[in-house]
Amino acid sequence: MGLFVTFEGPEGSGKTTQVRLLYASLVKEGLSVVRSREPGGTCIGEQVRAVLHDLGNQGMLPITEALLYSAARAQHVSEVIGPALERDAIVLCDRFAESTFAYQGYGHGLDLEALERITRFATGGLRPDLVVYLDLDVDIGLQRKLQDRREGKGEWNRMDQQSVSFHRRVREGYLTMARQEVDRWLIVDASRSVEEMHESVRARVLSLHALRVRRPHVTCSGGRPEPQ
């Protein structure tokens, strides 16, 4: 089985940059790597992304958000992530299910157990081997996003326009999840330089990959490798 690494963080934390840098570094190592994002990653997922992020959809309910994100995720896992892991690739994904728990769960206050059931149904129980969380003060992150918007870089979407208090709940949700599973999460201080963050993430991922290569595959009764 391959290695599944996801990147999470509040707005403006630099996830996309870190995914890009790690992808380039791992490819240089001669490794098989797939890079993707959520929502998106597939033709259908990108269409769902457009609906979710459309500034005109201000009336969208939190439960609608959760279901749309999960629908795009189901397509993503079946079409991209699952097949890549089956061929022993390293999958790097800019956001995954932890975003739904953070934004729709902790941010909007939806029931976390219900979101867990929906997520398990959408993903078939697939979970990241490592969640890289880029932690940043909410005010700093939003300022970065606004600056990028003024300079015509990146995107400013419907989720970015949520209140500061909402984004603070999201950040606290991420930190709560990270404290609950310290072995599966890597917290990176996103106020550090891009290069320093990259080196921390790269070292952890290469270490995990080395362990995975040495570890024999474990199969379920049906003969399909199980996510570890």
Side-chain angles (χ1 to χ4, degrees), residues 14-22 94 194:
K15 301 182 313 308
T16 304
T17 297
Q18 290 303 317
V19 172
R20 175 176 52 80
L21 289 174
L22 182 60
D94 186 341
V194 170

Side-chain angles (χ1 to χ4, degrees), residues 6 8 40 52 70 74 82 89 93 103 106 146 183 193 199 206 217 221:
T6 61
E8 300 285 351
L52 280 162
S70 297
C93 193
Y103 282 79
Y106 289 95
L146 285 169
D183 292 336
S193 72
E199 286 304 318
L206 286 176
H217 286 185
S221 58

